[in-house]
Amino acid sequence: MKKNVVIILWIFSQLISAQQLAQNYLSNLPKFPDNGCTVTETNKKAFYQQIDRVIEAIESDIERIHKQQSSVDQNQLPGKASDGEASGEQLAQQKLMKDHGISSMDLKKLENMSEEELQEWGEKYVASNQGKQSQSSARKQYNINTELQDLQNRLSTYKEGWMKMQAEYEKKEKQAKTDLDLCLEMVLKNAPEPQYRGEACINQKVIDEYVAKNEQRCNDNYCQTVTPLKKQMISKKMGELPQVLRLLSQIQTIQNDQVKGQTGLDLNASQSNELAALDLVKEFAEEMRSML
C-alpha cells in the first residue's frame, strides 16, 4: 500500500494540466439529442458546428504541443551534431556510474575477465553497497513496472468494452438496415398501379403520396431502432472518458519518466503526456458527429 501511495504522489503533479485540458474539451461538446429522429436541420447544423469548433481547437493545441515538443527536445540534446556520438557515450557512462557504480574503465576490465573472475566479481559487487543500491533500484523499478501494467490493464478493459459495444451496435444496425430495405421494397411493391391516359399517368400524385407516406414510416422505424443505440453508446463513452483520460495521463507520465531515466530527455516538459488524451477526445468528437 505504501509503495502505491509513493507512486501516486510521484505522478500526481504531472497529471493536472493534461487531464484538465482534455476534460475541458470534453465538457464543451454538445449534449447528444434525446431523440435524433426529430432533430431539425437548424439544430443539427448547430450540433455539428459546436463539435467542429472543439475539433479545431484540439487540433490547434496538438500542433502547439508538437512545436513545443520539438523545441524542448532540441534544447535537451547534448553537444553538437558533430560530437553527438561522443556525447551519447558520455551520457551512457554517466548513467552506468550513477545507477550501478560502474565506470567505463571497470566495464572494459569486465569484458576481459574469465567466467570465474566474472562470478567472483559479481558476488563481491552484490555484497557491496553499490550492489545493494542496485537491488533497491531494481525493486523500485519492479514496483513501477507493476503499477504501469495495472494501469494498462485497466485502460484495456475500457477499450475492450468500447469495442464490444461498437460490435454489438454494428450488428443491430445491420439488422435494422436489412429491415429498412425490406420495408422500402414492400412499399414500392404495394403502391397503387399506374393508370394511364395515353402516355400520361393520371394517378401519379396518388402513387407519390402513398410512397412518400409509407417510406417515411419505414425510415422512422429504422431511426427509432438505431438512435437509442447511438445515444446509449455515446453516453457510456462520455461517462467513462474522464477515467480513461486519467489512466492515459498516468501511463504516459510513467513512461516519460522512464525515458528520462534512460536518456536524460524530459518528455514531460514538452507536454507529450497531453497528446494521447487530446487525440482520444478528438476521436470521440468525430464519432459523436457521425452519429447524428
Side-chain angles (χ1 to χ4, degrees):
M1 181 67 182
K2 183 177 180 181
K3 72 181 181 185
N4 290 335
V5 172
V6 172
I7 293 172
I8 290 170
L9 291 175
W10 172 51
I11 63 179
F12 181 74
S13 63
Q14 303 291 335
L15 305 180
I16 302 301
S17 63
Q19 276 184 241
Q20 286 182 344
L21 184 61
Q23 183 64 50
N24 284 343
Y25 284 128
L26 186 63
S27 63
N28 285 332
L29 289 172
K31 180 183 177 184
F32 197 79
D34 289 330
N35 189 350
C37 302
T38 59
V39 176
T40 64
E41 287 302 315
T42 299
N43 289 338
K44 186 179 290 189
K45 184 178 179 180
F47 179 83
Y48 291 151
Q49 288 176 338
Q50 188 172 346
I51 292 178
D52 289 342
R53 284 194 294 269
V54 171
I55 291 175
E56 289 173 8
I58 291 175
E59 289 175 341
S60 177
D61 259 327
I62 289 174
E63 183 178 359
R64 170 186 62 79
I65 292 171
H66 276 305
K67 288 180 179 178
Q68 181 179 350
Q69 184 178 48
S70 177
S71 175
V72 171
D73 288 349
Q74 287 294 326
N75 291 335
Q76 291 184 101
L77 287 175
K80 301 177 183 179
S82 58
D83 62 352
E85 185 176 346
S87 299
E89 184 178 346
Q90 185 179 9
L91 276 177
Q93 291 176 4
Q94 290 173 355
K95 180 165 178 58
L96 202 61
M97 174 61 77
K98 178 183 176 182
D99 292 351
H100 305 290
I102 303 174
S103 67
S104 58
M105 188 176 296
D106 291 333
L107 190 60
K108 289 180 180 178
K109 290 180 181 179
L110 290 173
E111 290 174 351
N112 296 322
M113 287 184 183
S114 66
E115 290 187 11
E116 292 180 356
E117 289 172 330
L118 278 172
Q119 184 175 353
E120 182 180 354
W121 179 89
E123 291 172 353
K124 290 180 180 179
Y125 173 77
V126 171
S128 68
N129 289 333
Q130 287 291 349
K132 292 176 182 177
Q133 290 175 8
S134 180
Q135 288 178 333
S136 175
S137 176
R139 283 195 296 271
K140 179 181 177 182
Q141 187 59 50
Y142 173 80
N143 291 338
I144 292 173
N145 288 340
T146 300
E147 178 70 9
L148 181 60
Q149 186 62 56
D150 176 64
L151 293 170
Q152 290 172 331
N153 288 342
R154 288 158 60 188
L155 179 62
S156 294
T157 298
Y158 280 111
K159 290 189 173 183
E160 287 169 5
W162 292 351
M163 290 174 63
K164 182 178 180 181
M165 183 171 56
Q166 178 70 28
E168 187 64 22
Y169 164 76
E170 290 175 358
K171 178 181 176 181
K172 292 180 178 179
E173 194 276 337
K174 183 178 180 180
Q175 180 59 53
K177 183 64 168 60
T178 299
D179 294 341
L180 171 62
D181 292 341
L182 180 61
C183 182
L184 294 174
E185 183 181 329
M186 292 302 295
V187 168
L188 294 178
K189 183 177 180 180
N190 295 329
E193 290 290 334
Q195 298 175 9
Y196 292 94
R197 182 176 296 163
E199 294 184 357
C201 181
I202 61 174
N203 67 335
Q204 187 62 51
K205 183 178 179 180
V206 174
I207 295 173
D208 291 343
E209 289 176 350
Y210 175 88
V211 170
K213 177 181 178 181
N214 286 278
E215 282 188 344
Q216 185 60 48
R217 173 179 55 81
C218 295
N219 289 321
D220 286 345
N221 289 339
Y222 170 79
C223 190
Q224 293 294 344
T225 300
V226 172
T227 298
L229 301 176
K230 294 178 180 179
K231 181 174 175 57
Q232 181 183 13
M233 186 161 59
I234 291 295
S235 298
K236 182 174 176 58
K237 291 185 79 168
M238 176 77 83
E240 293 178 347
L241 267 170
Q243 293 93 327
V244 171
L245 293 174
R246 184 159 51 249
L247 287 171
L248 280 173
S249 291
Q250 291 173 328
I251 289 169
Q252 189 64 59
T253 299
I254 291 177
Q255 291 175 335
N256 288 352
D257 286 333
Q258 288 178 327
V259 170
K260 182 179 180 181
Q262 294 167 0
T263 67
L265 295 178
D266 186 3
L267 297 183
N268 289 323
S270 64
Q271 296 178 309
S272 65
N273 56 332
E274 293 180 349
L275 291 174
L278 290 173
D279 281 334
L280 184 61
V281 175
K282 178 187 172 184
E283 180 184 316
F284 174 72
E286 291 170 340
E287 178 184 1
M288 192 175 183
R289 194 186 193 286
S290 70
M291 284 291 181
L292 187 61

